[in-house]
Amino acid sequence: MSDVSEYREISEHPDVAEMRQRYERITASSQATVIDGLVLLAGAWLAISPWVVHFNTSAPSVTINNLILGVLVAVIALGLTWTPARMYRLSWAMVAVGIWVIIVPFVTGQVSAGVVWTNAITGGVTVLLGLAAVGTLLSTTMGSDRSALARQR
């Protein structure tokens, strides 16, 4: 079997500089900064919402779910800020978390107006922010692909 790569480490690959520039463009945009901040706020709200809306005793399963997923969304937000090159690829996971947050009251059977409204709004915002983060990545990727094609011509 032959070695198909002449590069032993990724740092030796000629595309590393271009990849770094692309992720710097992602994080330098004001849109990315706004998305990161809103994701952090959404995660914090999701984590504390059972106590603010006062369903922590009436819906304990949803309370635990919201706390764990709120911390997870906040960690994703911090990851988007600190290591965007890796985390923007995982931003689709926020879409899945948001959908789960919307349906969890019905899955657990702990349906009340406060639980449903809080989770529906927070889950919807999380889905939208996840889609916005994915869109930011795709628009930057598409832009760098277009500029690479223009350089080749």
Side-chain angles (χ1 to χ4, degrees):
M1 178 174 264
S2 64
D3 183 22
V4 295
S5 174
E6 61 189 79
Y7 308 106
R8 297 196 176 183
E9 294 183 21
I10 190 70
S11 62
E12 297 174 0
H13 198 278
D15 293 338
V16 168
E18 190 271 328
M19 289 186 292
R20 283 189 185 135
Q21 290 172 354
R22 179 173 28 145
Y23 286 113
E24 286 174 9
R25 282 192 307 270
I26 291 172
T27 57
S29 72
S30 60
Q31 179 183 4
T33 305
V34 169
I35 290 171
D36 296 349
L38 291 175
V39 170
L40 182 63
L41 290 174
W45 170 252
L46 183 59
I48 67 168
S49 64
W51 291 273
V52 174
V53 183
H54 302 294
F55 62 82
N56 57 324
T57 55
S58 63
S61 296
V62 178
T63 299
I64 293 168
N65 180 75
N66 285 9
L67 178 63
I68 293 170
L69 291 180
V71 170
L72 175 70
V73 170
V75 167
I76 289 172
L78 293 174
L80 288 172
T81 303
W82 290 331
T83 58
R86 293 182 180 170
M87 293 303 292
Y88 265 96
R89 291 183 184 170
L90 293 177
S91 55
W92 61 266
M94 286 189 303
V95 176
V97 167
I99 292 169
W100 176 251
V101 168
I102 293 170
I103 65 172
V104 76
F106 304 103
V107 172
T108 60
Q110 297 173 341
V111 181
S112 68
V115 174
V116 171
W117 279 106
T118 300
N119 278 27
I121 293 170
T122 308
V125 166
T126 305
V127 167
L128 292 175
L129 290 171
L131 291 173
V134 170
T136 301
L137 175 66
L138 290 178
S139 68
T140 306
T141 303
M142 297 277 189
S144 66
D145 290 346
R146 277 189 237 126
S147 64
L149 286 174
R151 281 183 295 207
Q152 289 176 355
R153 291 182 184 168

